[in-house]
Amino acid sequence: MSKTFPGGIHPSEHKKRSKKEQIRKAADPKIAVIPLCQHIGTPAEPLVNVGDIVKIGQPLGDSERYVSAAVHASIGGKIIAIEPRLTPFGAKVLSVVIENNGDQDVHPSVRPYPNFKDLSKTDIRKIIRGAGIVGLGGAAFPTRVKLQPPPDKVIKTIIINGAECEPYLTCDYRLLIEQPKKVILGLKAIMKPTDALEGIIAIEDNKPEAITAIQKAIDEEVSHHNLRVAVLKTKYPQGAEKQLIKAITKREVPSGGLPADVHCIVNNVGTAVAIAKALTTGMPLIERIVTVTGGSISEPSNLLVRIGTPFSELVEQCGGFLEEPTKIIMGGPLMGISVPSIDVPVIKATSGILVPSKKELDDLEPEPCIRCAKCVDSCPQYLLPNLLGDASENDRFDLSKSYGALDCIECGVCSYVCPAKRNLVQLIKLSKNELLRKK
Amino acid sequence: MKPLLVTPAPHMKSKDTNARVMLDVLIALLPATVAALFFFGFNAVIIILTGLISAWIFELIALKLKKAPVTRADLRSASITGLLLALIIAPSVPWWMVVVGTFIAIFIAKHAFGGLGHNIFNPALIGRAFMVASWPILMTAWLKPFDAIATATPLATVNPAPATYLQLFLGNVGGSMGETSALALLIGAAYLFYRQAIEWRLPFAYLGTVVVISLIFRVDPVFQLLSGGLMIGAFFMATDPVTTPVTKPGRLIFGIGCGIITMVLRMGAGYPEGVCYSILLMNATTPLLDRYARGRIFGYK
């Protein structure tokens, strides 16, 4: 029986377009724009100057601060600017702009490490930190921080999140099928410094090929007694950290707490593969898998993309647009963000570039709430989204707080189900911002 | 290239709309409507048409006065009110009384409180309560099905023997037009469950409470379930989303409260039926239940 959590929704999957497309390497960008802050936390400080020639894998920026991540050159070339550039989030962020000179040599700092067995816990943490690895599921939280939970927390279970519950996206699915051994290596690399007893790869039951591939890879491991696949029901938001832990361990992360409070750490499939690559080749995080899809894309694909490549070049490599785009979304349709321009660069958090057709975007005008409580019955956090929405609309943030606005995981289920087409999650985010600002 | 549209997530929404939710209720009321036409013939045609048409007219006037646009959801919501009102009154009621009842339902109970989504009390039940208070004799002049001869509702008779379970189940008894056939109402309710338009907590808490109280006070629970307005009340009135709690514990309490009040009125009051008032009384508690009968949030003990 597939495991799951209470609540949630079953949106149409739209994965067929790209799920059979093998990962192919996208062309290197002519000009790469690499923002120095692509993660949650402190921006990195630039380590290079305009005019410098950089090689692949060379550090461009780093920070001494704890919650931060290094960024690296994804192509070889000349630095033509270090200036604020537009990012997918709509803000201008200090970025290093590299003009490609076709040099395929890697930077001398990129060296393969000794055998995985011979690496100490500190070595692994150091490598992950040096490689600038962040959560590749979309939140881009620095992975190194995740792997160093407060000393009073005992970690028992590492979960690799392969649920990929967002419709349209297939990048994690392709990694599970094409690179299962790297997923397992990444999992083992996370288990080692955290002293975890058990490693679990969580996959939804609409991906039987992925389940088979991973199971086979586990069986081929010499020592695999503490590794297993957890099959989950296909439901959104199955891949949300708290819901994933609930489904697998039946434990609930306490309000305001961390997965470590229930002895878990969750990492995305892409993150595991990035860790595996860093450990074997020494190559930092300079590329990721991006699903380019949607009704407006002629040839939906899963591409291996260098960080800093503009969205526009990837769309061209997928046959261009079928119709003029109305909206371009980074990520999935439920939690993704709509980007302000097609020229923004791929960053570490870009799991997908989704360009829906006009037919797929049928935005209706909001109507009055009829209190049908579909949002209440679907909320995976057991909140009362319609009442939270009312509280936000009336500036009653005291009420939003008592209704648990800060426990909202912003999955968007309430807005999805609402027959009155109210954008409830947006209203709740308003309350959250207001409450966090006052804190 | 045109500037891109930048909007907050989610960028994908369900096909569900307010208008669709309303349509589901109308579809679910079809079997009961057909049963009413079958048992009460021409009287039923007049009352149902009067209910529907006057509801549309009053809705349009109210929206016009408020300078609000007329949406499909508005018209369907008015249809539900008009049809429900027609189904919960006696088939002998003259048409002009239905017009007055619908006026009270749409104008006073719904639009005076702010219109769709804002009313505290179930509009159709307010319409009916107004009619019962104004014309108590006419409102309880029940007809025997098929032959239009005056009869008593089985609930008003001292001895329930005159109506068999089968008669009650099929609806071949005196009573309000759409209330008599439990079968027709259950078919409609099954559709509402299938469409996930209603949720089990409220109706089953209501019916369950009626059964438990019947067993405690040694009255026939099957008879209590099948007679009067309980079925239409539990599945179509107490599940009206606007006037009932959104919280899960709130729905349970609401249902139990309805059950208790219904049975108190049926057994203790000089009045044969308590469904209408039980739901109206509990409607008044909805804001309170939403505020205080909240469930547990994820991550709390």
Side-chain angles (χ1 to χ4, degrees):
Chain A
M1 254 285 284
S2 308
K3 295 173 177 181
T4 194
F5 63 96
I9 50 171
H10 300 273
S12 17
E13 293 175 19
H14 295 282
K15 290 187 194 269
K16 267 201 198 115
R17 285 196 185 98
S18 57
K19 71 183 277 193
K20 295 239 182 298
E21 299 298 324
Q22 244 187 344
I23 297 171
R24 65 184 161 95
K25 198 181 167 337
D28 290 351
K30 291 182 265 312
I31 287 174
V33 177
I34 301 176
L36 286 164
C37 187
Q38 307 181 24
H39 45 264
I40 293 169
T42 318
E45 302 285 334
L47 301 171
V48 287
N49 294 304
V50 177
D52 288 0
I53 304 289
V54 292
K55 287 183 184 297
I56 295 171
Q58 181 173 343
L60 298 177
D62 204 351
S63 163
E64 291 302 313
R65 301 293 287 271
Y66 186 60
V67 183
S68 189
V71 292
H72 302 82
S74 59
I75 53 171
K78 185 178 166 191
I79 294 177
I80 54 171
I82 299 176
E83 61 187 18
R85 286 289 184 105
L86 196 63
T87 66
F89 293 100
K92 284 193 172 179
V93 171
L94 191 64
S95 306
V96 177
V97 185
I98 308 171
E99 188 181 41
N100 196 339
N101 64 4
D103 184 2
Q104 291 296 327
D105 290 347
V106 296
H107 190 254
S109 68
V110 179
R111 288 185 312 265
Y113 290 98
N115 245 336
F116 173 64
K117 268 190 228 122
D118 304 330
L119 290 171
S120 72
K121 290 179 188 181
T122 334
D123 290 340
I124 293 177
R125 283 209 191 97
K126 253 192 202 154
I127 294 168
I128 290 173
R129 184 191 176 326
I133 292 172
V134 300
L136 296 186
F141 188 77
T143 303
R144 188 262 312 233
V145 181
K146 250 192 195 178
L147 300 194
Q148 213 151 17
D152 56 321
K153 310 281 182 220
V154 179
I155 299 302
K156 292 181 185 156
T157 310
I158 304 296
I159 300 172
I160 297 298
N161 185 353
E164 199 161 55
C165 56
E166 274 268 14
Y168 290 94
L169 301 184
T170 51
C171 50
D172 292 348
Y173 173 73
R174 290 313 307 181
L175 277 180
L176 289 168
I177 289 184
E178 294 181 34
Q179 303 176 17
K181 286 202 180 303
K182 283 197 183 129
V183 176
I184 307 283
L185 177 60
L187 170 58
K188 286 165 78 178
I190 301 166
M191 288 170 72
K192 194 162 182 179
T194 52
D195 291 319
L197 308 172
E198 190 186 23
I200 296 175
I201 295 133
I203 308 174
E204 284 188 340
D205 57 11
N206 63 343
K207 305 174 184 74
E209 299 93 331
I211 295 168
T212 316
I214 291 292
Q215 191 57 57
K216 191 164 159 266
I218 290 178
D219 294 340
E220 283 168 9
E221 285 288 313
V222 183
S223 153
H224 60 249
H225 64 279
N226 56 354
L227 303 176
R228 67 182 171 95
V229 175
V231 181
L232 306 167
K233 239 187 214 144
T234 304
K235 186 161 82 170
Y236 180 87
Q238 186 64 76
E241 195 167 67
K242 291 178 178 178
Q243 279 59 38
L244 190 66
I245 293 171
K246 167 94 176 172
I248 293 174
T249 68
K250 300 227 164 38
R251 291 193 289 259
E252 287 184 10
V253 177
S255 171
L258 290 170
D261 292 324
V262 289
H263 318 299
C264 293
I265 293 177
V266 180
N267 278 286
N268 175 263
V269 168
T271 316
V273 171
I275 292 172
K277 272 189 196 164
L279 289 179
T280 45
T281 64
M283 183 57 84
L285 180 54
I286 58 156
E287 56 189 6
R288 67 157 297 146
I289 316 294
V290 178
T291 303
V292 184
T293 185
S296 284
I297 298 288
S298 350
E299 295 158 22
S301 316
N302 300 295
L303 302 176
L304 177 63
V305 181
R306 293 287 162 95
I307 304 295
T309 310
F311 281 20
S312 51
E313 288 184 20
L314 299 178
V315 171
E316 264 169 46
Q317 290 170 49
C318 294
F321 292 121
L322 290 172
E323 58 178 85
E324 200 186 2
T326 316
K327 208 193 242 186
I328 298 178
I329 297 155
M330 180 176 96
L334 289 164
M335 285 188 82
I337 57 154
S338 55
V339 303
S341 155
I342 192 172
D343 298 316
V344 294
V346 164
I347 56 174
K348 293 174 185 175
T350 310
S351 49
I353 298 175
L354 168 60
V355 191
S357 63
K358 283 197 184 67
K359 231 177 73 192
E360 288 168 292
L361 286 172
D362 49 348
D363 273 339
L364 296 172
E365 283 298 306
E367 289 184 1
C369 171
I370 54 167
R371 300 168 38 83
C372 67
K374 283 188 166 62
C375 54
V376 178
D377 293 337
S378 314
C379 178
Q381 290 289 102
Y382 320 152
L383 300 173
L384 304 167
N386 69 321
L387 299 184
L388 278 163
D390 294 346
S392 283
E393 281 173 342
N394 297 321
D395 292 340
R396 286 292 307 275
F397 300 115
D398 54 326
L399 266 186
S400 333
K401 193 174 178 194
S402 81
Y403 281 134
L406 293 172
D407 288 296
C408 171
I409 57 166
E410 305 182 10
C411 65
V413 159
C414 46
S415 299
Y416 176 89
V417 295
C418 181
K421 306 296 161 196
R422 296 175 81 197
N423 200 338
L424 292 166
V425 69
Q426 182 66 8
L427 287 168
I428 300 171
K429 282 185 205 170
L430 178 77
S431 273
K432 279 179 84 172
N433 285 344
E434 202 63 28
L435 293 169
L436 293 171
R437 201 170 55 86
K438 277 184 197 149
K439 249 185 183 174
Chain B
M1 202 165 85
K2 270 189 321 195
L4 293 174
L5 185 65
V6 176
T7 57
H11 310 282
M12 178 185 192
K13 290 182 182 164
S14 71
K15 296 261 175 285
D16 227 0
T17 58
N18 277 355
R20 173 73 224 203
V21 172
M22 308 285 176
L23 182 64
D24 278 338
V25 178
L26 287 171
I27 293 172
L29 280 170
L30 267 182
T33 309
V34 171
L37 295 171
F38 176 71
F39 288 123
F40 301 107
F42 189 66
N43 286 14
V45 175
I46 295 294
I47 291 180
I48 289 170
L49 280 182
T50 312
L52 282 173
I53 294 170
S54 54
W56 292 330
I57 292 173
F58 290 132
E59 179 75 30
L60 289 174
I61 295 174
L63 290 172
K64 183 95 189 160
L65 288 174
K66 289 163 75 179
K67 297 191 173 64
V70 181
T71 66
R72 255 198 291 191
D74 287 320
L75 286 177
R76 287 183 187 166
S77 153
S79 311
I80 294 173
T81 303
L83 182 57
L84 269 179
L85 182 68
L87 293 178
I88 56 173
I89 56 182
S92 56
V93 166
W95 67 270
W96 56 267
M97 270 171 60
V98 182
V99 176
V100 176
T102 318
F103 171 79
I104 298 294
I106 300 273
F107 249 73
I108 308 298
K110 184 170 149 194
H111 282 288
F113 282 88
L116 183 61
H118 299 285
N119 46 299
I120 295 172
F121 297 102
N122 186 312
L125 288 177
I126 288 285
R128 181 183 190 272
F130 180 86
M131 291 165 79
V132 173
S134 308
W135 304 286
I137 312 277
L138 286 172
M139 280 297 283
T140 47
W142 314 110
L143 294 181
K144 211 171 165 190
F146 304 121
D147 43 11
I149 295 169
T151 181
T153 165
L155 270 174
T157 54
V158 183
N159 180 356
T164 64
Y165 288 160
L166 187 67
Q167 278 177 315
L168 284 168
F169 186 68
L170 295 176
N172 190 10
V173 291
S176 299
M177 297 206 313
E179 291 180 355
T180 59
S181 174
L183 174 66
L185 290 166
L186 285 174
I187 294 171
Y191 175 76
L192 288 179
F193 278 115
Y194 162 72
R195 291 279 310 161
Q196 296 182 346
I198 60 175
E199 196 249 7
W200 64 271
R201 280 185 179 79
L202 206 161
F204 288 107
Y206 191 172
L207 298 176
T209 307
V210 167
V211 170
V212 168
I213 295 178
S214 302
L215 291 174
I216 293 172
F217 290 93
R218 294 169 189 274
V219 294
D220 181 355
V222 181
F223 176 74
Q224 291 297 330
L225 283 180
L226 294 178
S227 56
L230 188 58
M231 284 291 163
I232 200 168
F235 290 114
F236 291 91
M237 303 283 191
T239 54
D240 166 36
V242 175
T243 56
T244 53
V246 296
T247 71
K248 289 174 189 176
R251 290 176 221 165
L252 280 175
I253 297 171
F254 190 101
I256 293 168
C258 284
I260 293 172
I261 299 170
T262 298
M263 290 308 283
V264 166
L265 290 176
R266 278 187 177 183
M267 296 189 305
Y271 191 72
E273 180 53 306
V275 170
C276 171
Y277 293 110
S278 76
I279 297 171
L280 284 174
L281 279 168
M282 289 309 291
N283 282 163
T285 69
T286 294
L288 213 59
L289 289 173
D290 273 348
R291 182 69 65 91
Y292 296 106
R294 285 184 239 155
R296 184 182 71 90
I297 295 174
F298 187 101
Y300 287 85
K301 282 271 171 335

